[in-house]
Amino acid sequence: MQSSFKALVLEQQENGPVASIRELTNEDLPAGDVLVQVEYSSLNYKDGMILNGRGGLVRHYPHVAGIDLAGTVLESSDPRHRPGDAVILTGHRVGETHWGGYAQRARLHGDWLIPRPAGYSARQAMAAGTAGLTAMLAVQALDDHGLHPDAGKVLVTGASGGVGSLAVRLLARLGYTVAAVTGRRENVNYLHQLGAQEVLPREELATGPAKPLLSERWAGCVDTVGGDTLAHVLAGMAYGRSVAACGLAGGAELHTTVLPFLLRGISLLGIDSVLCPADRRLAAWERLGETLPGPELDAITHEIGLDEVPAHAERILQGQVRGRVVVRLDPDDR
């Protein structure tokens, strides 16, 4: 085993955190019972927030971000994980309160790791990553609340992003009629290729509704935006239907009334993939692998190196990243 490895380390400066690639050793890593050789990580909206010092998600520096990782076990004192095992990690506040995947090695707690899903390479597992898990949990929640393919159109907001792109593809693969919302006209063909039958401009839903209740338009929704967009969507839901809310790119506040809930029986379903229980997490990954084979993930994935992460982190906050971005951790690049 090489004595040192590369990591993208955040240091707190006067005007916020600054990222730089540094050489570290195993002794620099935080506590944990499993040492992993990281092969791939990914870039998520939360990673963009962390790298740009937003949201107060990181309290202690220096810090290694990256909320997802896939790799191979190097050392383990946890009997569930043996050297050579292919594993992945998403959530558990890794990349926030514990050093994450933007390093060629990570020391982690065994409870946080699961076997890499069958049929996925490390790259493909990260092409899914937190975004794929979140999208699958959202779709499953809608299913559990009675949504079926014949119910009508299912809306996906923020459809060009990671969670949105995967939600569109999952819903289409499962036979739903999908309407996708995007703020970028150049992504219309991309969303149709993912399976959206209709693509709406962001402006149509970007402001709060003119009335507490609008015409019943949507049989279900995966909302990755929040804010006024979510308020608008709630007002236009069909009777007895549900919205799975899993993002806040459009704001954390929700200005609405109780009328959609009281007069139409709407359900607002909160989706959390960070602390999702292990049984639900494993079931979601299994269904994800069955529904979206690895080659389909390749088609919506862009690969970058560790040194490119800071620039892409700014772009993802500006809504300029389409689909999924995976981060390559070259084991021989030391």
Side-chain angles (χ1 to χ4, degrees), residues 170-295:
L170 281 170
L171 289 163
R173 289 273 298 183
L174 293 168
Y176 289 96
T177 301
V178 183
V181 183
T182 183
R184 301 173 64 193
R185 293 182 59 85
E186 64 268 27
N187 289 335
V188 170
N189 288 338
Y190 164 77
L191 292 169
H192 282 308
Q193 290 168 2
L194 290 180
Q197 283 88 349
E198 181 181 1
V199 179
L200 307 175
R202 178 192 299 159
E203 294 76 17
E204 187 170 327
L205 300 171
T207 58
K211 300 183 295 183
L213 293 175
L214 303 173
S215 298
E216 298 185 28
R217 193 174 181 186
W218 313 115
C221 176
V222 176
D223 175 61
T224 74
V225 176
D228 288 341
T229 295
L230 176 55
H232 197 127
V233 169
L234 288 169
M237 294 299 298
Y239 186 88
R241 297 306 179 181
S242 303
V243 176
C246 56
L248 46 62
E253 294 186 0
L254 180 60
H255 301 286
T256 187
T257 74
V258 298
L259 295 184
F261 308 104
L262 301 184
L263 299 184
R264 288 193 182 158
I266 304 305
S267 296
L268 180 58
L269 312 174
I271 305 301
D272 169 57
S273 64
V274 176
L275 300 177
C276 177
D279 56 343
R280 287 180 56 212
R281 185 183 296 265
L282 289 168
W285 273 106
E286 182 177 0
R287 191 180 183 195
L288 186 64
E290 294 170 351
T291 310
L292 283 186

Side-chain angles (χ1 to χ4, degrees), residues 34-240:
V34 183
L35 180 66
V36 174
Q37 180 76 55
V38 181
E39 298 165 32
Y40 279 92
S41 184
S42 69
L43 179 68
N44 302 276
Y45 192 86
K46 185 181 287 186
D47 295 312
M49 293 179 66
I50 289 169
L51 286 160
N52 286 278
R54 300 189 186 182
L57 296 169
V58 176
R59 302 294 178 87
H60 303 287
Y61 294 89
H63 180 71
V64 174
I67 66 172
D68 293 346
L69 62 87
T72 303
V73 174
L74 292 173
E75 299 174 355
S76 175
S77 59
D78 185 322
R80 295 170 295 181
H81 307 291
R82 298 180 178 180
D85 286 353
V87 293
I88 65 169
L89 180 145
T90 63
H92 298 286
R93 301 202 71 191
V94 170
E96 300 177 59
T97 62
H98 190 94
W99 283 16
Y102 294 160
Q104 292 173 326
R105 290 183 207 147
R107 184 177 286 123
L108 306 154
H109 295 291
D111 288 341
W112 300 341
L113 297 168
I114 64 171
R116 192 170 76 208
Y120 282 170
S121 66
R123 184 184 190 276
Q124 291 163 343
M126 289 295 93
T130 284
L133 176 61
T134 303
M136 189 72 255
L137 290 171
V139 171
Q140 186 63 56
L142 294 175
D143 285 352
D144 291 344
H145 282 75
L147 185 64
H148 53 85
D150 296 331
K153 288 183 180 179
V154 181
L155 186 70
V156 178
T157 66
S160 298
V163 177
S165 292
L166 289 167
V168 169
R169 190 63 188 138
L170 281 170
L171 289 163
R173 289 273 298 183
L174 293 168
Y176 289 96
T177 301
V178 183
V181 183
T182 183
R184 301 173 64 193
R185 293 182 59 85
E186 64 268 27
N187 289 335
V188 170
N189 288 338
Y190 164 77
L191 292 169
H192 282 308
Q193 290 168 2
L194 290 180
Q197 283 88 349
E198 181 181 1
V199 179
L200 307 175
R202 178 192 299 159
E203 294 76 17
E204 187 170 327
L205 300 171
T207 58
K211 300 183 295 183
L213 293 175
L214 303 173
S215 298
E216 298 185 28
R217 193 174 181 186
W218 313 115
C221 176
V222 176
D223 175 61
T224 74
V225 176
D228 288 341
T229 295
L230 176 55
H232 197 127
V233 169
L234 288 169
M237 294 299 298
Y239 186 88

Side-chain angles (χ1 to χ4, degrees), residues 292-309:
L292 283 186
E296 289 208 19
L297 293 168
D298 292 336
I300 64 168
T301 302
H302 174 61
E303 183 174 312
I304 63 173
L306 192 59
D307 59 337
E308 299 174 88
V309 169

